[in-house]
């Protein structure tokens, strides 16, 4: 029982440190967020931070992995024959935007994008480690095809088209803080996808 409590306390402290790191990265930026500042935001000591994380880079990676884990849960959308295709597609778009629609997650994502641009190998390693973001959507498309509501000869290509529209029209403009997409863009994106892939009902 004591060992279990010790493990729980350690896990709780680790989460508190990550929360402090998120605040530091968001407020001060990755480069200026020292371990001292992270400890300050976490309400602990630098020694305690180092007891849990060997470096700022390791801590950043842990924070990003936590966000990815949360996003993965949102992406795990199962096809529902009783729900409209539009409602289900909205959930997929919202899951994809998870990392960019909150100031803390956006700050972390922007740091990561900068690292990807500076060193393409980092991006390749991340892709190899975390896999494709399209997996759940491809499974969804396959189920919708079987239910005769989506018509696509290549589910992977259909998924690529869908995510290309999300990334090009929503994700990248938000990450790069360029011109803000119009509010209606998400709805138009989904309508465009359905115009191409929704199966027309057979007339009686």
């Amino acid at each position: 029982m004591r060992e279990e409590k010790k493990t729980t306390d350690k896990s709780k402290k680790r989460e508190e440190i990550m929360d402090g790191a998120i605040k530091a990265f968001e407020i001060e930026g990755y480069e200026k967020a020292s371990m001292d500042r992270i400890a300050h935001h976490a309400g602990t000591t630098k020694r305690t931070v180092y007891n849990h994380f060997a470096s700022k880079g390791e801590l950043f990676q842990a924070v990003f992995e936590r966000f990815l884990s949360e996003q993965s849960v949102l992406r795990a959308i199962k096809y529902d024959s009783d729900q409209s295709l539009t409602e289900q597609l909205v959930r997929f778009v919202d899951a994809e935007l998870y990392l960019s629609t909150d100031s803390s997650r956006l700050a972390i994502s922007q740091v990561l994008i900068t690292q990807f641009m500076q060193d393409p190998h980092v991006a390749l390693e991340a892709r190899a480690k975390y896999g494709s973001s399209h997996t759940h959507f491809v499974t969804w498309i396959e189920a919708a095809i079987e239910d005769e509501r989506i018509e696509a000869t290549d589910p992977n290509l259909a998924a690529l088209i869908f995510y290309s529209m999300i990334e090009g029209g929503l994700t990248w403009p938000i990450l790069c803080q360029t011109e803000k997409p119009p509010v209606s863009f998400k709805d138009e994106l989904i309508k465009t996808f359905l115009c191409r892939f929704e199966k027309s009902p057979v007339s009686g």
Side-chain angles (χ1 to χ4, degrees):
M1 184 66 70
R2 183 177 296 177
E3 187 64 30
E4 182 178 338
K5 184 177 184 302
K6 185 177 180 181
T7 300
T8 301
D9 290 344
K10 184 176 181 180
S11 178
K12 182 180 178 182
K13 178 56 68 175
R14 181 181 173 88
E15 292 297 317
E16 289 173 353
I17 292 171
M18 283 195 282
D19 288 340
I22 291 169
K23 288 181 182 178
F25 294 147
E26 179 184 358
I27 295 171
E28 301 169 31
Y30 179 76
E31 295 300 331
K32 294 182 179 179
S34 65
M35 293 297 252
D36 279 312
R37 297 303 299 159
I38 290 170
H40 168 76
H41 287 291
T44 189
T45 65
K46 184 166 72 170
R47 180 177 180 179
T48 300
V49 174
Y50 275 115
N51 284 340
H52 290 268
F53 300 97
S55 66
K56 184 171 70 172
E58 182 182 308
L59 178 49
F60 175 83
Q61 190 68 27
V63 167
F64 187 66
E65 286 181 2
R66 186 170 80 173
F67 284 159
L68 283 182
S69 178
E70 293 168 353
Q71 184 182 46
S72 180
V73 172
L74 297 176
R75 280 176 171 163
I77 301 164
K78 293 186 178 180
Y79 175 74
D80 185 349
S81 60
D82 295 325
Q83 192 177 41
S84 74
L85 296 180
T86 297
E87 289 176 298
Q88 295 176 71
L89 290 172
V90 165
R91 293 174 61 197
F92 275 106
V93 175
D94 289 343
E96 190 59 25
L97 295 178
Y98 178 73
L99 295 180
S100 58
T101 52
D102 168 88
S103 59
S104 298
R105 296 190 294 268
L106 177 60
I108 299 299
S109 298
Q110 288 172 329
V111 170
L112 193 70
I113 292 301
T114 301
Q115 290 184 336
F116 285 171
M117 295 177 69
Q118 291 175 345
D119 187 352
H121 292 294
V122 175
L124 292 174
E125 288 174 2
R127 181 61 182 270
K129 183 174 182 179
Y130 301 116
S132 172
S133 61
H134 302 178
T135 304
H136 291 296
F137 189 55
V138 170
T139 301
W140 182 91
I141 291 174
E142 291 170 343
I145 291 172
E146 187 175 344
D147 196 32
E148 299 186 347
R149 294 174 74 189
I150 288 289
E151 193 168 29
T153 55
D154 186 345
N156 286 286
L157 177 59
L160 178 60
I161 291 170
F162 183 70
Y163 280 100
S164 294
M165 289 193 292
I166 296 173
E167 291 166 4
L170 292 171
T171 307
W172 281 105
I174 294 171
L175 284 174
C176 299
Q177 296 182 325
T178 55
E179 185 176 350
K180 191 174 181 180
V183 176
S184 62
F185 187 87
K186 180 167 69 172
D187 292 337
E188 293 300 324
L189 182 160
I190 291 170
K191 287 177 184 177
T192 300
F193 181 82
L194 290 177
C195 280
R196 172 63 181 86
F197 292 105
E198 185 174 18
K199 188 171 184 178
S200 301
V202 178
S203 59

